Amino acid sequence: MSMIFFACVVRVRDGLPLSASTDFHFNRDFLECRKRLKALSSVLAQYPSRGTAKGRDLSIHFLSSGDIACMAICSSNYSTIMAFCFLEELQWEFAASYDTTSINLASRPYAFLEFDNVIQKVKRHFNRTSGSQTKANWEKIQEELKFRPPVQLKLEDTELMNGMANGGHAEVHVEVVPTYRMQRVTPLGILSLVLNIMCGALNLIRGVHLAEYSFQEDHEGLGNVIAFFLPFLACVFQCYLYLFYSSARRTKTFVLFFSVCLCNIYLYGLRNVWQIAFHIGVASLSSHQILTRQLMEKQPDCGV
């Protein structure tokens, strides 16, 4: 049967799997092919951007670009052009969903497992589609493969890709992934956390009391209730951003800061100028501490 059985996205520099289709086949040949795909993924940096490892019943195709590579296991009679059309579309989808920073900072296998939904969708589409239905992309890939044909490998040869050592015994390949940690918490950072928790508690208490009054008597005060609860949530997220790394930290920090500012300005009348200045000042201090606390890469111990 001519079809795509399995697909995954890996990081080129170390072969770390980022996402993969979750459907699983218990066929012995398929399981063996999965092992060879894993071996091949760890040495993709040594090969050109396109390649095919042919086997009797199953073949592996890979397409590398920048930090990532998309790989697929297909039946050997599946069109090579269609396989690379599939991998190219998968690559575009992944690049549109995740930025380079998050890819480089991934420290555990399958960090983007939710991308499996996209892989399944694209895989189903290509398993039901003929070449004539993707004519434009088919012709483009066909032209590219004519001028730059993919490197040809034998599926059996991938067993040797992890290297041989110690008199012909296969060396056990242990992948060491760098662990990323934040820099130490400073005394000023601890102060910002304490003040943030205090401001969050004040906003929550005032918001709850105002909500009880608004629902009973003053239904027009709902805007004020929201203006108390939003800064409470902002304070919680500011504490989180300071303690833990998150992608797009700078953008999130500015959004939270401006939310606190706008909500406190809206509450003018329920809060005096000094109270508003205090809350905005704490938000400013927290934002500064978030932006100045950087990642610290801890080098692996390697058992020394």
Side-chain angles (χ1 to χ4, degrees), residues 49-51 61-65 68-71 84 87-88 91:
S49 59
R50 285 193 181 97
H61 303 279
F62 63 86
L63 175 66
S64 304
S65 178
I68 64 165
C70 296
M71 307 182 75
F84 282 107
L87 292 175
E88 186 170 88
Q91 190 178 77

Side-chain angles (χ1 to χ4, degrees), residues 173-191:
H173 176 69
V174 180
E175 180 180 299
V176 181
V177 179
T179 304
Y180 291 90
R181 294 184 178 180
M182 304 294 290
Q183 291 175 346
R184 286 180 178 274
V185 174
T186 62
L188 196 57
I190 294 173
L191 176 63

Side-chain angles (χ1 to χ4, degrees), residues 14-25:
D14 53 10
L16 180 74
L18 301 174
S19 189
S21 53
T22 52
D23 51 341
F24 198 78
H25 303 270

Side-chain angles (χ1 to χ4, degrees), residues 4 6-8 37 59-62 70-74 83 86-87:
I4 302 165
F6 174 81
C8 65
L37 179 143
S59 296
I60 298 171
H61 303 279
F62 63 86
C70 296
M71 307 182 75
I73 297 176
C74 309
F86 165 72
L87 292 175

